[in-house]
Amino acid sequence: MDQHKPKVMVLGTFHMRYTPDIYKVEFDDLLNERRQNEIREVVEKVKIFNPTKLAFEVVKENEEEINEEYRQYLNGDLELKIDEMHQYGFRIASELGHQKVYAVDWMKSVGNRGIGEVFERAKTEQPDLYKYIDEKYRSGRDFNLADKSIGTLMKEMNEESSVKREHEMYMTLARIGSEDDYVGIDWLRWWYQRNLIIYSNLARITSSPSDRTVLIIGAAHIHLVSQFLKESGMFDVEPAIAYL
């Protein structure tokens, strides 16, 4: 570790609210006492990293809005929602005395086709490839919280083997389409652009050697964001699994 480089931890998580992700996590009431205690355990572990900044999977345009919510929380005027930004991020930031939080995401269209259309194309025109993706990468994932703790699931999502598997699936999506119509790559170019912009926004807020930024983001982003951070040569990237 270079003591003169700022440090970044990419904390991959499941989404506590609905999002149109490839994987869905089945969970119960995250506000009950058991789940709140499990969330608290994750919060305490991440605090050991001693982050100086918390960045969220929120589009940059909404940074002021998320900070208004954070100020309300600091003033005792906001109850935490079922949302990883609130449940993890606001707690960590407030308990470490942060005055603001950061939005680093981007979700604009670049004229690309959506992930749903990519899968539909594979299902109808490349059924063997669709079956391969479905059986190897989608059906076999146990993202049901019923028989495990939040801490256990967070560990699983941040393990190197899981991160590698997730990215491997995206590389398989690149094979969907034909030499006349690269359907999978059409979506992937957007995915890469989104993660590059997240990296760029992270780099912008993590400029001082003393900065220690935690990015709380869906686990599917871990590989690319970490790769871009490492390849820049500007940061020390500390894997979240070392703290979980």
Side-chain angles (χ1 to χ4, degrees):
M1 289 282 178
D2 189 331
Q3 297 303 312
H4 300 292
K5 290 183 179 180
K7 294 175 172 54
V8 180
M9 177 200 293
V10 181
L11 178 66
T13 180
F14 64 95
H15 290 303
M16 296 179 180
R17 65 198 184 288
Y18 170 78
T19 59
D21 285 354
I22 293 173
Y23 302 119
K24 300 291 190 297
V25 175
E26 300 296 328
F27 49 76
D28 47 25
D29 179 11
L30 297 183
L31 294 178
N32 68 38
E33 184 177 3
R34 173 194 169 195
R35 295 307 191 188
Q36 285 292 297
N37 287 337
E38 291 171 356
I39 289 170
R40 164 57 53 192
E41 288 174 6
V42 174
V43 166
E44 293 300 326
K45 288 176 179 178
V46 177
K47 281 168 60 181
I48 295 171
F49 177 70
N50 195 28
T52 59
K53 293 177 179 175
L54 270 290
F56 300 150
E57 186 181 346
V58 174
V59 293
K60 194 70 180 170
E61 296 89 330
N62 291 347
E63 185 167 274
E64 181 51 44
E65 181 182 329
I66 197 72
N67 271 288
E68 176 57 32
E69 288 186 5
Y70 181 55
R71 285 190 289 270
Q72 290 174 10
Y73 175 66
L74 290 179
N75 293 332
D77 298 327
L78 178 78
E79 287 191 20
L80 294 178
K81 300 173 186 173
I82 301 177
D83 182 302
E84 58 271 17
M85 295 176 298
H86 283 211
Q87 295 293 322
Y88 295 139
F90 280 14
R91 282 176 162 143
I92 295 167
S94 65
E95 290 168 23
L96 293 178
H98 297 191
Q99 294 306 302
K100 69 173 293 186
V101 293
Y102 298 85
V104 295
D105 200 3
W106 172 90
M107 286 289 285
K108 294 177 183 176
S109 171
V110 288
N112 60 290
R113 281 164 284 200
I115 189 67
E117 186 176 344
V118 174
F119 278 115
E120 282 304 310
R121 177 71 169 266
K123 193 173 185 179
T124 57
E125 298 187 18
Q126 293 169 275
D128 290 344
L129 182 57
Y130 177 83
K131 182 180 179 185
Y132 173 79
I133 293 171
D134 197 49
E135 291 180 352
K136 182 169 184 179
Y137 299 110
R138 300 174 81 195
S139 302
R141 304 303 292 272
D142 179 16
F143 283 169
N144 192 329
L145 262 176
D147 58 353
K148 64 181 68 170
S149 71
I150 289 173
T152 297
L153 183 59
M154 291 288 285
K155 280 183 182 178
E156 291 175 356
M157 288 185 149
N158 285 274
E159 284 174 352
E160 186 176 350
S161 59
S162 180
V163 173
K164 179 177 179 292
R165 177 189 177 96
E166 190 94 25
H167 186 67
E168 192 178 278
M169 187 195 69
Y170 289 131
M171 292 299 92
T172 309
L173 292 183
R175 295 163 52 197
I176 297 174
S178 67
E179 59 188 35
D180 297 321
D181 191 9
Y182 298 95
V183 181
I185 291 173
D186 190 29
W187 178 80
L188 279 167
R189 69 188 173 96
W190 174 86
W191 178 246
Y192 267 75
Q193 182 169 345
R194 181 183 175 194
N195 282 281
L196 274 168
I197 290 171
I198 291 169
Y199 151 74
S200 177
N201 287 332
L202 275 175
R204 196 168 288 114
I205 67 170
T206 311
S207 54
S208 165
S210 62
D211 280 339
R212 302 174 65 87
T213 300
V214 168
L215 169 64
I216 299 175
I217 197 165
H221 295 269
I222 298 172
H223 178 89
L224 281 181
V225 175
S226 298
Q227 175 187 328
F228 298 147
L229 288 165
K230 291 172 185 175
E231 289 179 350
S232 74
M234 295 169 52
F235 307 97
D236 280 331
V237 181
E238 294 200 24
I241 192 66
Y243 292 83
L244 295 172

PDB file of all heavy atoms in Angstrom, residues 54-73:
ATOM      1  N   LEU A  54     -18.217   9.134   1.891  1.00  0.00           N
ATOM      2  CA  LEU A  54     -19.150   8.077   1.499  1.00  0.00           C
ATOM      3  C   LEU A  54     -19.767   8.461   0.163  1.00  0.00           C
ATOM      4  O   LEU A  54     -20.326   9.550   0.010  1.00  0.00           O
ATOM      5  CB  LEU A  54     -20.268   7.910   2.536  1.00  0.00           C
ATOM      6  CG  LEU A  54     -20.049   6.916   3.689  1.00  0.00           C
ATOM      7  CD1 LEU A  54     -20.081   5.491   3.185  1.00  0.00           C
ATOM      8  CD2 LEU A  54     -18.787   7.200   4.461  1.00  0.00           C
ATOM      9  N   ALA A  55     -19.641   7.562  -0.814  1.00  0.00           N
ATOM     10  CA  ALA A  55     -20.205   7.793  -2.149  1.00  0.00           C
ATOM     11  C   ALA A  55     -21.283   6.752  -2.420  1.00  0.00           C
ATOM     12  O   ALA A  55     -21.139   5.588  -2.040  1.00  0.00           O
ATOM     13  CB  ALA A  55     -19.114   7.728  -3.208  1.00  0.00           C
ATOM     14  N   PHE A  56     -22.339   7.179  -3.109  1.00  0.00           N
ATOM     15  CA  PHE A  56     -23.501   6.317  -3.307  1.00  0.00           C
ATOM     16  C   PHE A  56     -23.829   6.121  -4.784  1.00  0.00           C
ATOM     17  O   PHE A  56     -23.496   6.954  -5.635  1.00  0.00           O
ATOM     18  CB  PHE A  56     -24.738   6.919  -2.631  1.00  0.00           C
ATOM     19  CG  PHE A  56     -24.610   7.125  -1.149  1.00  0.00           C
ATOM     20  CD1 PHE A  56     -25.300   8.161  -0.539  1.00  0.00           C
ATOM     21  CD2 PHE A  56     -23.811   6.304  -0.364  1.00  0.00           C
ATOM     22  CE1 PHE A  56     -25.215   8.366   0.830  1.00  0.00           C
ATOM     23  CE2 PHE A  56     -23.701   6.501   1.001  1.00  0.00           C
ATOM     24  CZ  PHE A  56     -24.408   7.542   1.597  1.00  0.00           C
ATOM     25  N   GLU A  57     -24.561   5.037  -5.045  1.00  0.00           N
ATOM     26  CA  GLU A  57     -25.078   4.744  -6.383  1.00  0.00           C
ATOM     27  C   GLU A  57     -26.328   5.598  -6.611  1.00  0.00           C
ATOM     28  O   GLU A  57     -27.441   5.111  -6.722  1.00  0.00           O
ATOM     29  CB  GLU A  57     -25.390   3.248  -6.502  1.00  0.00           C
ATOM     30  CG  GLU A  57     -25.788   2.800  -7.884  1.00  0.00           C
ATOM     31  CD  GLU A  57     -26.104   1.309  -7.938  1.00  0.00           C
ATOM     32  OE1 GLU A  57     -25.771   0.572  -6.982  1.00  0.00           O
ATOM     33  OE2 GLU A  57     -26.696   0.884  -8.936  1.00  0.00           O
ATOM     34  N   VAL A  58     -26.092   6.884  -6.676  1.00  0.00           N
ATOM     35  CA  VAL A  58     -27.136   7.887  -6.911  1.00  0.00           C
ATOM     36  C   VAL A  58     -26.627   8.777  -8.038  1.00  0.00           C
ATOM     37  O   VAL A  58     -25.456   9.164  -8.044  1.00  0.00           O
ATOM     38  CB  VAL A  58     -27.373   8.744  -5.648  1.00  0.00           C
ATOM     39  CG1 VAL A  58     -28.360   9.878  -5.938  1.00  0.00           C
ATOM     40  CG2 VAL A  58     -27.875   7.879  -4.498  1.00  0.00           C
ATOM     41  N   VAL A  59     -27.492   9.098  -8.999  1.00  0.00           N
ATOM     42  CA  VAL A  59     -27.028   9.913 -10.119  1.00  0.00           C
ATOM     43  C   VAL A  59     -26.569  11.278  -9.620  1.00  0.00           C
ATOM     44  O   VAL A  59     -27.128  11.846  -8.684  1.00  0.00           O
ATOM     45  CB  VAL A  59     -28.122  10.069 -11.202  1.00  0.00           C
ATOM     46  CG1 VAL A  59     -28.391   8.722 -11.874  1.00  0.00           C
ATOM     47  CG2 VAL A  59     -29.401  10.670 -10.640  1.00  0.00           C
ATOM     48  N   LYS A  60     -25.517  11.768 -10.254  1.00  0.00           N
ATOM     49  CA  LYS A  60     -24.864  13.011  -9.819  1.00  0.00           C
ATOM     50  C   LYS A  60     -25.851  14.161  -9.685  1.00  0.00           C
ATOM     51  O   LYS A  60     -25.729  14.996  -8.776  1.00  0.00           O
ATOM     52  CB  LYS A  60     -23.760  13.371 -10.831  1.00  0.00           C
ATOM     53  CG  LYS A  60     -22.796  14.436 -10.353  1.00  0.00           C
ATOM     54  CD  LYS A  60     -21.917  13.907  -9.238  1.00  0.00           C
ATOM     55  CE  LYS A  60     -20.949  14.976  -8.764  1.00  0.00           C
ATOM     56  NZ  LYS A  60     -20.254  14.552  -7.530  1.00  0.00           N
ATOM     57  N   GLU A  61     -26.844  14.210 -10.568  1.00  0.00           N
ATOM     58  CA  GLU A  61     -27.810  15.315 -10.547  1.00  0.00           C
ATOM     59  C   GLU A  61     -28.616  15.355  -9.250  1.00  0.00           C
ATOM     60  O   GLU A  61     -29.202  16.384  -8.916  1.00  0.00           O
ATOM     61  CB  GLU A  61     -28.781  15.197 -11.731  1.00  0.00           C
ATOM     62  CG  GLU A  61     -28.129  15.318 -13.094  1.00  0.00           C
ATOM     63  CD  GLU A  61     -27.645  13.985 -13.647  1.00  0.00           C
ATOM     64  OE1 GLU A  61     -27.290  13.089 -12.851  1.00  0.00           O
ATOM     65  OE2 GLU A  61     -27.627  13.835 -14.878  1.00  0.00           O
ATOM     66  N   ASN A  62     -28.666  14.237  -8.536  1.00  0.00           N
ATOM     67  CA  ASN A  62     -29.464  14.172  -7.307  1.00  0.00           C
ATOM     68  C   ASN A  62     -28.620  14.317  -6.043  1.00  0.00           C
ATOM     69  O   ASN A  62     -29.070  13.999  -4.951  1.00  0.00           O
ATOM     70  CB  ASN A  62     -30.234  12.851  -7.247  1.00  0.00           C
ATOM     71  CG  ASN A  62     -31.328  12.775  -8.291  1.00  0.00           C
ATOM     72  OD1 ASN A  62     -31.679  13.776  -8.904  1.00  0.00           O
ATOM     73  ND2 ASN A  62     -31.870  11.591  -8.509  1.00  0.00           N
ATOM     74  N   GLU A  63     -27.392  14.810  -6.181  1.00  0.00           N
ATOM     75  CA  GLU A  63     -26.521  14.916  -5.007  1.00  0.00           C
ATOM     76  C   GLU A  63     -27.083  15.878  -3.956  1.00  0.00           C
ATOM     77  O   GLU A  63     -27.038  15.582  -2.756  1.00  0.00           O
ATOM     78  CB  GLU A  63     -25.116  15.358  -5.419  1.00  0.00           C
ATOM     79  CG  GLU A  63     -24.133  15.358  -4.250  1.00  0.00           C
ATOM     80  CD  GLU A  63     -22.700  15.485  -4.703  1.00  0.00           C
ATOM     81  OE1 GLU A  63     -22.088  14.444  -5.019  1.00  0.00           O
ATOM     82  OE2 GLU A  63     -22.191  16.623  -4.766  1.00  0.00           O
ATOM     83  N   GLU A  64     -27.607  17.001  -4.384  1.00  0.00           N
ATOM     84  CA  GLU A  64     -28.154  17.952  -3.415  1.00  0.00           C
ATOM     85  C   GLU A  64     -29.381  17.356  -2.716  1.00  0.00           C
ATOM     86  O   GLU A  64     -29.560  17.542  -1.503  1.00  0.00           O
ATOM     87  CB  GLU A  64     -28.522  19.268  -4.090  1.00  0.00           C
ATOM     88  CG  GLU A  64     -29.081  20.321  -3.124  1.00  0.00           C
ATOM     89  CD  GLU A  64     -28.205  20.543  -1.891  1.00  0.00           C
ATOM     90  OE1 GLU A  64     -26.967  20.626  -2.029  1.00  0.00           O
ATOM     91  OE2 GLU A  64     -28.775  20.607  -0.775  1.00  0.00           O
ATOM     92  N   GLU A  65     -30.187  16.634  -3.467  1.00  0.00           N
ATOM     93  CA  GLU A  65     -31.379  16.003  -2.877  1.00  0.00           C
ATOM     94  C   GLU A  65     -30.997  14.980  -1.810  1.00  0.00           C
ATOM     95  O   GLU A  65     -31.585  14.947  -0.727  1.00  0.00           O
ATOM     96  CB  GLU A  65     -32.182  15.326  -3.991  1.00  0.00           C
ATOM     97  CG  GLU A  65     -33.452  14.644  -3.516  1.00  0.00           C
ATOM     98  CD  GLU A  65     -34.171  13.943  -4.654  1.00  0.00           C
ATOM     99  OE1 GLU A  65     -34.080  14.423  -5.813  1.00  0.00           O
ATOM    100  OE2 GLU A  65     -34.812  12.915  -4.395  1.00  0.00           O
ATOM    101  N   ILE A  66     -29.987  14.141  -2.098  1.00  0.00           N
ATOM    102  CA  ILE A  66     -29.586  13.125  -1.126  1.00  0.00           C
ATOM    103  C   ILE A  66     -28.939  13.781   0.085  1.00  0.00           C
ATOM    104  O   ILE A  66     -29.065  13.311   1.216  1.00  0.00           O
ATOM    105  CB  ILE A  66     -28.669  12.058  -1.770  1.00  0.00           C
ATOM    106  CG1 ILE A  66     -28.589  10.799  -0.894  1.00  0.00           C
ATOM    107  CG2 ILE A  66     -27.278  12.568  -2.037  1.00  0.00           C
ATOM    108  CD1 ILE A  66     -29.835   9.976  -0.875  1.00  0.00           C
ATOM    109  N   ASN A  67     -28.270  14.917  -0.130  1.00  0.00           N
ATOM    110  CA  ASN A  67     -27.674  15.627   1.011  1.00  0.00           C
ATOM    111  C   ASN A  67     -28.718  16.333   1.861  1.00  0.00           C
ATOM    112  O   ASN A  67     -28.539  16.473   3.071  1.00  0.00           O
ATOM    113  CB  ASN A  67     -26.604  16.612   0.527  1.00  0.00           C
ATOM    114  CG  ASN A  67     -25.237  15.948   0.443  1.00  0.00           C
ATOM    115  OD1 ASN A  67     -24.613  15.655   1.461  1.00  0.00           O
ATOM    116  ND2 ASN A  67     -24.788  15.699  -0.772  1.00  0.00           N
ATOM    117  N   GLU A  68     -29.816  16.743   1.231  1.00  0.00           N
ATOM    118  CA  GLU A  68     -30.912  17.318   2.016  1.00  0.00           C
ATOM    119  C   GLU A  68     -31.502  16.239   2.928  1.00  0.00           C
ATOM    120  O   GLU A  68     -31.798  16.496   4.100  1.00  0.00           O
ATOM    121  CB  GLU A  68     -31.980  17.886   1.094  1.00  0.00           C
ATOM    122  CG  GLU A  68     -33.210  18.425   1.821  1.00  0.00           C
ATOM    123  CD  GLU A  68     -32.888  19.501   2.853  1.00  0.00           C
ATOM    124  OE1 GLU A  68     -31.914  20.258   2.651  1.00  0.00           O
ATOM    125  OE2 GLU A  68     -33.608  19.577   3.875  1.00  0.00           O
ATOM    126  N   GLU A  69     -31.654  15.022   2.394  1.00  0.00           N
ATOM    127  CA  GLU A  69     -32.115  13.907   3.230  1.00  0.00           C
ATOM    128  C   GLU A  69     -31.126  13.635   4.355  1.00  0.00           C
ATOM    129  O   GLU A  69     -31.518  13.379   5.497  1.00  0.00           O
ATOM    130  CB  GLU A  69     -32.299  12.644   2.383  1.00  0.00           C
ATOM    131  CG  GLU A  69     -33.491  12.680   1.456  1.00  0.00           C
ATOM    132  CD  GLU A  69     -33.714  11.346   0.756  1.00  0.00           C
ATOM    133  OE1 GLU A  69     -32.998  10.366   1.062  1.00  0.00           O
ATOM    134  OE2 GLU A  69     -34.602  11.269  -0.105  1.00  0.00           O
ATOM    135  N   TYR A  70     -29.848  13.679   4.024  1.00  0.00           N
ATOM    136  CA  TYR A  70     -28.812  13.412   5.035  1.00  0.00           C
ATOM    137  C   TYR A  70     -28.861  14.472   6.141  1.00  0.00           C
ATOM    138  O   TYR A  70     -28.760  14.146   7.327  1.00  0.00           O
ATOM    139  CB  TYR A  70     -27.433  13.381   4.376  1.00  0.00           C
ATOM    140  CG  TYR A  70     -26.300  13.096   5.342  1.00  0.00           C
ATOM    141  CD1 TYR A  70     -26.308  11.953   6.146  1.00  0.00           C
ATOM    142  CD2 TYR A  70     -25.219  13.971   5.446  1.00  0.00           C
ATOM    143  CE1 TYR A  70     -25.268  11.693   7.027  1.00  0.00           C
ATOM    144  CE2 TYR A  70     -24.180  13.708   6.327  1.00  0.00           C
ATOM    145  CZ  TYR A  70     -24.212  12.579   7.120  1.00  0.00           C
ATOM    146  OH  TYR A  70     -23.176  12.323   7.999  1.00  0.00           O
ATOM    147  N   ARG A  71     -29.044  15.733   5.770  1.00  0.00           N
ATOM    148  CA  ARG A  71     -29.152  16.802   6.776  1.00  0.00           C
ATOM    149  C   ARG A  71     -30.371  16.585   7.667  1.00  0.00           C
ATOM    150  O   ARG A  71     -30.312  16.798   8.889  1.00  0.00           O
ATOM    151  CB  ARG A  71     -29.211  18.172   6.093  1.00  0.00           C
ATOM    152  CG  ARG A  71     -27.880  18.647   5.545  1.00  0.00           C
ATOM    153  CD  ARG A  71     -27.929  20.090   5.094  1.00  0.00           C
ATOM    154  NE  ARG A  71     -28.713  20.276   3.887  1.00  0.00           N
ATOM    155  CZ  ARG A  71     -28.213  20.202   2.658  1.00  0.00           C
ATOM    156  NH1 ARG A  71     -26.945  19.927   2.470  1.00  0.00           N
ATOM    157  NH2 ARG A  71     -28.994  20.414   1.601  1.00  0.00           N
ATOM    158  N   GLN A  72     -31.469  16.171   7.055  1.00  0.00           N
ATOM    159  CA  GLN A  72     -32.670  15.881   7.848  1.00  0.00           C
ATOM    160  C   GLN A  72     -32.396  14.748   8.840  1.00  0.00           C
ATOM    161  O   GLN A  72     -32.829  14.804   9.993  1.00  0.00           O
ATOM    162  CB  GLN A  72     -33.829  15.508   6.928  1.00  0.00           C
ATOM    163  CG  GLN A  72     -34.371  16.654   6.097  1.00  0.00           C
ATOM    164  CD  GLN A  72     -35.418  16.196   5.106  1.00  0.00           C
ATOM    165  OE1 GLN A  72     -35.894  15.060   5.149  1.00  0.00           O
ATOM    166  NE2 GLN A  72     -35.793  17.078   4.174  1.00  0.00           N
ATOM    167  N   TYR A  73     -31.671  13.744   8.383  1.00  0.00           N
ATOM    168  CA  TYR A  73     -31.326  12.626   9.272  1.00  0.00           C
ATOM    169  C   TYR A  73     -30.448  13.105  10.427  1.00  0.00           C
ATOM    170  O   TYR A  73     -30.673  12.736  11.596  1.00  0.00           O
ATOM    171  CB  TYR A  73     -30.621  11.527   8.480  1.00  0.00           C
ATOM    172  CG  TYR A  73     -30.125  10.380   9.334  1.00  0.00           C
ATOM    173  CD1 TYR A  73     -31.015   9.548  10.003  1.00  0.00           C
ATOM    174  CD2 TYR A  73     -28.761  10.147   9.480  1.00  0.00           C
ATOM    175  CE1 TYR A  73     -30.563   8.499  10.800  1.00  0.00           C
ATOM    176  CE2 TYR A  73     -28.306   9.095  10.268  1.00  0.00           C
ATOM    177  CZ  TYR A  73     -29.208   8.277  10.927  1.00  0.00           C
ATOM    178  OH  TYR A  73     -28.762   7.254  11.718  1.00  0.00           O
TER     179      TYR A  73
END
